[in-house]
Amino acid sequence: NAGVTQTPKFQVLKTGQSMTLQCAQDMNHNSMYWYRQDPGMGLRLIYYSASEGTTDKGEVPNGYNVSRLNKREFSLRLESAAPSQTSVYFCASSVSGQGGYTFGSGTRLTVV
Amino acid sequence: GEDVEQSLFLSVREGDSSVINCTYTDSSSTYLYWYKQEPGAGLQLLTYIFSNMDMKQDQRLTVLLNKKDKHLSLRIADTQTGDSAIYFCAESNTGGFKTIFGAGTRLFVKA
C-alpha cells in the first residue's frame, strides 16, 4: 500500500545509546519531515528535507541528525539518547511544502 | 514565534454536531489544515482551506475561516462514535516547509 513506512514501531534505549529511525515513502513526494509528539504539546518539527539532497533544522533539532538517503528515504539519528527524547516520532512527506502531509504510523521511543 | 491554539477537550452526543475551534497568530498563513489522529496511529489529513476562502464543505465536514480574527473551525455533522479522536489544527505559509500544529482537541462522542 502506498504511504509512509516507519521502523521500528517501538524502541527502548538506555541513556547514551544511539539509534536510527528509518522512514520511507513510495508516493514520489519531494519533501520529508521528522516531528516529535509530546503530550499537550502537539507536534514539533525536528528536521525537514525540502527536496532530495537538502536538509534543514526545524524547531527542536538539538540532539538529532538526519540523512536524506535518496528521494524515498529520510532517516533520523539519535547519537546519544537522553530521557528528554522519550517521545513519539512521526515521519511525514508531501509533494511540496503545501497541501498537507502524509504521516507514518509513528515510532514510540522510551529512553531510560 | 508563530502559534496555533486549540481547546483540549470536547464532548458531544452521538448524532449531534461537533464544532472544534482553533486560533492562529501568523497573518501570512496561506494554508490551514485539519488532521485527525486515532489511537496508536499517525495523523490523517482531513481537509484544508486556502486563506482566501471563507468556507469549505466536504460531506459531513465544514471548515469556516475568519481571517480577520485568525479563527478556524471544523464542524462535524451527525457525529458518530467513530469520530472519536484527536483533531489537530495546523497552518503553513507560502513557500514554507514549517507547518505549525496546535496541541490537538480530543473529541469524545457519547453513545
Side-chain angles (χ1 to χ4, degrees):
Chain A
N1 293 334
V4 178
T5 302
Q6 290 184 238
T7 56
K9 292 191 182 304
F10 301 93
Q11 184 71 48
V12 178
L13 289 179
K14 294 183 179 179
T15 298
Q17 286 185 318
S18 63
M19 80 161 294
T20 300
L21 282 64
Q22 307 287 351
C23 175
Q25 52 91 9
D26 57 6
M27 297 169 289
N28 201 34
H29 284 172
N30 295 310
S31 306
M32 298 185 74
Y33 314 83
W34 277 104
Y35 280 87
R36 60 178 288 174
Q37 183 180 28
D38 300 293
M41 298 187 72
L43 278 75
R44 292 182 292 168
L45 181 64
I46 304 171
Y47 272 93
Y48 68 99
S49 171
S51 60
E52 185 179 358
T54 70
T55 60
D56 285 285
K57 294 178 180 179
E59 182 184 354
V60 288
N62 291 345
Y64 305 96
N65 286 300
V66 291
S67 295
R68 184 75 183 265
L69 304 170
N70 47 56
K71 192 171 186 179
R72 292 186 61 249
E73 298 173 285
F74 188 39
S75 63
L76 177 72
R77 183 161 178 83
L78 287 71
E79 291 290 352
S80 179
S84 61
Q85 294 178 305
T86 293
S87 187
V88 181
Y89 292 85
F90 287 102
C91 178
S93 69
S94 65
V95 173
S96 68
Q98 311 296 340
Y101 299 165
T102 301
F103 280 84
S105 57
T107 295
R108 188 174 294 274
L109 175 68
T110 301
V111 182
V112 297
Chain B
E2 307 305 339
D3 196 17
V4 175
E5 293 193 353
Q6 307 175 235
S7 55
L8 293 182
F9 299 99
L10 176 65
S11 180
V12 300
R13 291 190 182 279
E14 191 174 22
D16 288 351
S17 292
S18 307
V19 180
I20 303 171
N21 295 300
C22 166
T23 57
Y24 60 97
T25 60
D26 186 358
S27 58
S28 64
S29 293
T30 307
Y31 290 72
L32 295 130
Y33 309 90
W34 285 104
Y35 287 85
K36 176 183 180 182
Q37 184 181 34
E38 297 184 1
L43 279 70
Q44 174 193 0
L45 179 66
L46 284 177
T47 186
Y48 64 91
I49 188 169
F50 297 107
S51 59
N52 62 358
M53 297 170 64
D54 297 327
M55 185 182 81
K56 181 178 180 182
Q57 189 151 4
D58 184 0
Q59 299 182 332
R60 293 191 297 121
L61 305 179
T62 302
V63 178
L64 295 177
L65 174 61
N66 181 327
K67 194 172 182 181
K68 173 178 170 290
D69 294 337
K70 300 190 186 67
H71 181 268
L72 184 74
S73 67
L74 173 69
R75 178 177 180 270
I76 305 172
D78 188 25
T79 311
Q80 302 298 307
T81 55
D83 295 323
S84 293
I86 302 175
Y87 291 81
F88 290 90
C89 173
E91 62 89 12
S92 65
N93 54 28
T94 302
F97 291 88
K98 297 181 180 180
T99 298
I100 306 297
F101 288 82
T105 299
R106 187 178 294 270
L107 175 65
F108 295 95
V109 181
K110 296 176 287 189

